């Protein structure tokens, strides 16, 4: 019996020790500046945030990497990160995310750091959000709201802004508050009936229902607008498909260097910035293989772990560019500590997009491109070459490996399947231009009557040439 008692006491002691160490700081996340004058200047402009994560699975390195990414997201949104805290739990607390006892500890950290916002590394339910704000007395947001805020800041095109607003409203709708200091309660039972009396029927729920109706109407309008924009996008894509111009989509984790790679391959001049989600609006540019075949390159929005489903839904028309592509260039940040986790996150989102596309859609062929090898040590590069044997290793910054990448793309792109040998009159110069743009010219010779071409072209262009 005494042995059983000692065993139980030992187990309880271990639990208490684990509980005391549950809410621990993650070092190296603070972005507060040492220069006091500059800190005071930034405090006028930036929110001061404390990050909180719940460690339910995976290694300590993985959870710290997730919180470090949350810190970068907060910085991108314009915040000043003061502290990063992680708690070990089997699952998030359904009421307060981190548990009632840890909320008190978190409140002390918020007060000591003079923070005005707490950012949770997960998606909070409306109840968790309300409980945390009531107990912490500061603004509380989750990872989803933070990413939506960044998207709202970076959207430039009309389509991008519409997509972001739709995602924000879909996120906001279930989180509208029926009870709160700004809204009075509507009485229930006999008090809410005809004889309830003056002062017992407040406007609170009426205002809430009004807000919901307005949001539903706005969502419906945004969806109609996106359908119209999608029609325009589908028309442009249809023209490319009709001309059978091969399409290559550049996908990858946010800040992996997709825009830098597009610029290096095509000179597109797309914004390049060392920030998360710098590119939201897709950019398409024309490129040419070494053997003269034309194709398009499209830079797409970056992905991230736990990308909000509202964003995937709202950006579906944009993301479906990847489903229609003949080849996907999956760009990986070679300088990242966990590139395999990035690859997994990107493939998860792509699978969701393909499933949503329907009509038997399938994921196009994928070519892994490990970027930023100029910022990666040799040991990490050797590990990546072993981990990703079929990948192409490049540096969009220095140009290293780009020739090998272009050659690999040329190998993987579909080739025109009809070989023609024809003399095209000079009066039909437009057809010659189409052969150069859409086909593969094997030989060309200029005669007195026209241009003698031997080329491989797609069937539609072969038919046009045969009618000469």
């Amino acid at each position: 019996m005494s042995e059983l008692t000692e065993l139980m006491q030992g187990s309880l002691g271990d639990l208490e020790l684990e509980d005391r160490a549950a809410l621990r700081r993650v070092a190296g996340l603070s972005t507060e500046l040492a220069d006091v004058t500059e800190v005071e200047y930034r405090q006028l402009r930036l929110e001061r945030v404390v990050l909180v994560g719940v460690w339910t699975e995976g290694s300590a390195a993985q959870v710290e990497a997730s919180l470090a990414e949350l810190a970068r997201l907060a910085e991108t949104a314009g915040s000043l990160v003061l502290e990063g805290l992680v708690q070990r739990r089997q699952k998030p607390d359904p009421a307060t995310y981190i548990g009632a006892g840890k909320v008190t500890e978190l409140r002390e950290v918020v007060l000591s750091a003079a923070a005005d916002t707490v950012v949770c590394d997960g998606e909070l339910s409306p109840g968790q959000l309300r409980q945390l704000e009531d107990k912490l007395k500061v603004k509380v947001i989750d990872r989803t709201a933070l990413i939506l805020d960044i998207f709202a800041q970076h959207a430039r095109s009309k389509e991008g802004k519409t997509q972001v607003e739709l995602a924000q409203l879909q996120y906001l709708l279930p989180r509208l508050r029926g009870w709160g200091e700004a809204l009075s309660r509507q009485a229930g039972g006999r008090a809410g009936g005809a004889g309830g009396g003056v002062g017992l029927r407040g406007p609170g729920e009426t205002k809430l229902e009004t807000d919901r109706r307005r949001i539903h109407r706005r969502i419906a309008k945004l969806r109609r607008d996106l359908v119209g924009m999608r029609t325009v996008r589908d028309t442009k894509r249809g023209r490319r498909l009709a001309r059978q111009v091969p399409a290559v989509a550049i996908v990858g984790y946010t800040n992996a260097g997709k825009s830098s790679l597009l610029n290096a391959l095509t000179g597109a001049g797309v914004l390049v910035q060392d920030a998360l989600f710098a590119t939201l609006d897709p950019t398409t540019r024309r490129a040419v293989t070494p053997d003269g075949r034309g194709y398009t390159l499209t830079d797409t929005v970056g992905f991230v772990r736990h990308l909000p489903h509202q964003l995937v839904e709202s950006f579906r028309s944009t993301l479906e560019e990847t489903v229609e592509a003949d080849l996907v260039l999956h760009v990986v940040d070679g300088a990242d500590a966990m590139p395999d986790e990035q690859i997994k996150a990107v493939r998860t989102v792509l699978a969701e997009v393909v499933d949503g596309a329907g009509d038997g859609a399938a994921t196009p062929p994928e070519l892994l491109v490990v970027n930023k090898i100029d910022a990666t040590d040799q040991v990490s590069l050797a590990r990546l070459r072993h981990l990703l044997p079929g990948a192409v290793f490049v540096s969009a910054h220095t140009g290293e490996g780009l020739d090998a990448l272009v050659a690999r793309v040329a190998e993987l792109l579909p080739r025109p399947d009809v070989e023609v040998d024809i003399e095209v009159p000079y009066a039909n110069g437009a057809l010659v231009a189409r052969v150069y743009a859409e086909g593969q010219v094997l030989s060309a010779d200029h005669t007195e009557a026209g241009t003698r071409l031997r080329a491989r072209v797609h069937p539609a262009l072969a038919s046009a040439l045969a009618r000469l």
Side-chain angles (χ1 to χ4, degrees):
M1 189 70 177
S2 60
E3 292 179 357
L4 180 60
T5 303
E6 289 176 2
L7 182 62
M8 291 178 62
Q9 288 176 345
S11 299
L12 289 172
D14 291 341
L15 286 173
E16 289 171 359
L17 180 62
E18 183 181 346
D19 189 56
R20 285 198 298 272
L23 195 62
R24 60 184 182 84
R25 285 179 169 81
V26 177
L29 292 184
S30 175
T31 57
E32 194 164 17
L33 301 179
D35 185 349
V36 177
T37 56
E38 196 169 350
V39 169
E40 290 175 350
Y41 170 70
R42 288 184 68 182
Q43 284 175 346
L44 297 175
R45 302 169 53 242
L46 303 181
E47 292 187 31
R48 299 168 59 84
V49 305
V50 171
L51 311 178
V52 181
V54 174
W55 177 7
T56 57
E57 60 183 6
S59 65
Q62 287 175 322
V63 73
E64 290 187 8
S66 180
L67 210 63
E69 181 177 89
L70 188 68
R72 290 208 64 197
L73 288 168
E75 291 175 48
T76 303
S79 300
L80 184 68
V81 179
L82 304 174
E83 290 277 6
L85 307 170
V86 170
Q87 186 202 4
R88 183 69 185 264
R89 292 181 63 95
Q90 288 186 344
K91 60 181 180 179
D93 183 73
T96 60
Y97 183 65
I98 58 175
K102 296 304 170 186
V103 171
T104 304
E105 293 182 34
L106 179 58
R107 171 65 178 162
E108 293 173 359
V109 173
V110 168
L111 287 174
S112 63
D116 51 40
T117 304
V118 170
V119 183
C120 296
D121 192 16
E123 184 165 332
L124 300 178
S125 69
Q128 289 172 327
L129 193 63
R130 187 179 313 172
Q131 287 272 4
L132 282 174
E133 285 197 343
D134 288 344
K135 295 178 184 301
L136 297 176
K137 309 300 181 187
V138 294
K139 181 171 69 175
V140 178
I141 63 173
D142 57 17
R143 184 187 183 94
T144 299
L146 182 61
I147 294 175
L148 289 173
D149 182 76
I150 296 170
F151 270 57
Q153 291 182 43
H154 289 183
R156 293 291 177 268
S157 69
K158 183 178 180 182
E159 184 176 13
K161 291 178 179 178
T162 303
Q163 289 167 325
V164 171
E165 185 182 353
L166 176 60
Q168 286 179 316
L169 290 177
Q170 288 174 327
Y171 171 81
L172 174 64
L173 191 59
R175 289 166 177 80
L176 286 177
R177 300 187 181 188
W179 313 107
E181 295 177 2
L183 301 176
S184 60
R185 295 188 180 189
Q186 183 174 25
R190 287 187 357 183
V198 176
L200 294 181
R201 296 179 298 273
E205 292 302 306
T206 303
K207 182 180 186 305
L208 178 64
E209 291 303 321
T210 301
D211 289 343
R212 282 180 177 154
R213 282 196 298 272
R214 290 175 61 191
I215 290 177
H216 278 299
R217 284 199 298 268
R218 182 64 179 165
I219 287 176
K221 181 182 184 306
L222 292 173
R223 283 179 171 157
R224 288 195 301 271
D225 292 344
L226 283 177
V227 168
M229 296 173 192
R230 181 173 183 170
T231 301
V232 174
R233 182 180 296 281
D234 288 345
T235 301
K236 292 180 180 178
R237 187 187 300 145
R239 289 174 186 162
R240 292 199 299 268
L241 291 174
R243 295 172 59 190
Q244 297 195 359
V245 178
V248 177
I250 304 176
V251 304
Y253 211 76
T254 181
N255 207 35
K258 299 182 296 300
S259 298
S260 298
L261 187 63
L262 179 69
N263 288 344
L265 292 175
T266 67
V270 176
L271 169 69
V272 173
Q273 189 176 356
D274 185 18
L276 305 186
F277 302 116
T279 302
L280 291 189
D281 302 314
T283 302
T284 300
R285 292 291 184 270
R286 187 178 182 275
V288 180
T289 63
D291 55 4
R293 288 176 291 146
Y295 64 97
T296 60
L297 267 173
T298 301
D299 182 20
T300 62
V301 62
F303 301 149
V304 72
R305 296 180 191 92
H306 312 301
L307 190 67
H309 66 275
Q310 295 94 341
L311 281 174
V312 177
E313 181 64 33
S314 299
F315 278 74
R316 187 170 299 281
S317 62
T318 302
L319 294 173
E320 283 179 1
E321 289 278 354
T322 60
V323 180
E324 301 289 342
D326 297 289
L327 176 66
V328 168
L329 293 188
H330 182 166
V331 183
V332 182
D333 184 352
D336 188 80
M338 295 183 178
D340 48 334
E341 293 292 325
Q342 290 192 358
I343 293 172
K344 189 187 303 182
V346 171
R347 285 175 174 168
T348 298
V349 177
L350 281 178
E352 189 175 344
V353 174
V354 171
D355 290 343
D359 299 328
T363 305
E366 176 192 71
L367 174 61
L368 283 172
V369 182
V370 179
N371 192 20
K372 303 185 184 180
I373 60 174
D374 56 309
T376 312
D377 61 81
Q378 293 303 313
V379 175
S380 298
L381 279 178
R383 173 181 169 272
L384 286 172
R385 290 183 194 278
H386 176 73
L387 183 67
L388 311 170
V392 179
F393 289 73
V394 305
S395 169
H397 178 65
T398 65
E400 183 180 354
L402 291 183
D403 290 341
L405 174 60
V406 171
R408 189 79 179 106
V409 169
E411 289 176 13
L412 294 174
L413 283 179
R415 292 177 177 272
D417 51 4
V418 179
E419 185 169 333
V420 295
D421 188 349
I422 191 170
E423 187 174 68
V424 182
Y426 288 121
N428 298 98
L431 274 178
V432 176
R434 281 189 63 187
V435 172
Y436 274 95
E438 302 171 25
Q440 179 184 3
V441 177
L442 303 176
S443 66
D445 186 30
H446 298 286
T447 66
E448 291 184 2
T451 304
R452 188 81 188 181
L453 289 175
R454 190 169 70 87
R456 296 185 65 85
V457 296
H458 55 80
L461 184 52
S463 298
L465 291 169
R467 290 193 294 268
L468 290 176

